[in-house]
Amino acid sequence: MLVRDAMSTLVLTIGPAHTLRQAARLMSARRVGAAVVLDPDTCGLGILTERDVLNSLGRGQNPDFETASAHTTTSVVYAGPAWTLEDAAEAMTHGGFRHLVVLDHDEPVGIVSVRDIIRCWAPGRHRPAPVAEFTAR
């Protein structure tokens, strides 16, 4: 199976000036774990993940003032749509990350995540029944 078969083609893109709170809201609303950060000034492409937001919060930084550009990974490993899922999994394992931006002719056309790969490798598996909801007091 190929990356093009597993990737999400709905790519959340944000700008470098988005705050981490704005980015987190958009990722949450779209139920994705990463956003592609497009910087028109540098023609650069990066990725901001939920882990980047979490690390910033863990350091006590204010998500209303921290911008995506300060937390974006710019040394991104890209996948091609014709990569095998094994190639993508190897790149993720080797690099220690969970998302790959998929480029076709230097344009982002999708994102493939570890979860996408697992869904393809474990077809027919159903989600477990939801556990009782936890309410913080």
Side-chain angles (χ1 to χ4, degrees):
M1 188 167 274
L2 303 178
V3 165
R4 75 169 51 93
D5 303 318
M7 71 183 189
S8 171
T9 56
L10 296 174
V11 179
L12 173 61
T13 58
I14 63 173
H18 275 79
T19 67
L20 291 187
R21 184 176 308 278
Q22 291 170 325
R25 280 188 182 139
L26 290 168
M27 286 190 281
S28 177
R30 302 234 180 128
R31 301 183 68 190
V32 297
V36 172
V37 181
L38 297 174
D39 189 343
D41 293 334
T42 64
C43 296
L45 210 104
I47 189 167
L48 179 76
T49 68
E50 58 197 356
R51 184 178 294 169
D52 297 322
V53 175
L54 185 64
N55 287 339
S56 175
L57 291 173
R59 289 190 294 270
Q61 296 174 330
N62 187 330
D64 293 315
F65 295 108
E66 291 295 315
T67 61
S69 64
H71 300 277
T72 297
T73 299
T74 54
S75 57
V76 178
V77 175
Y78 302 103
W83 279 27
T84 65
L85 293 185
E86 289 82 5
D87 292 336
E90 174 63 30
M92 290 178 190
T93 301
H94 186 292
F97 45 81
R98 298 176 293 172
H99 299 87
L100 280 170
V101 177
V102 183
L103 293 184
D104 193 15
H105 303 303
D106 295 327
E107 293 293 323
V109 294
I111 290 185
V112 65
S113 70
V114 170
R115 182 175 293 167
D116 297 326
I117 293 171
I118 291 170
R119 280 190 193 124
C120 290
W121 284 349
R125 299 247 181 208
H126 298 287
R127 294 173 127 177
V131 181
E133 192 171 312
F134 173 79
T135 305
R137 297 181 201 250

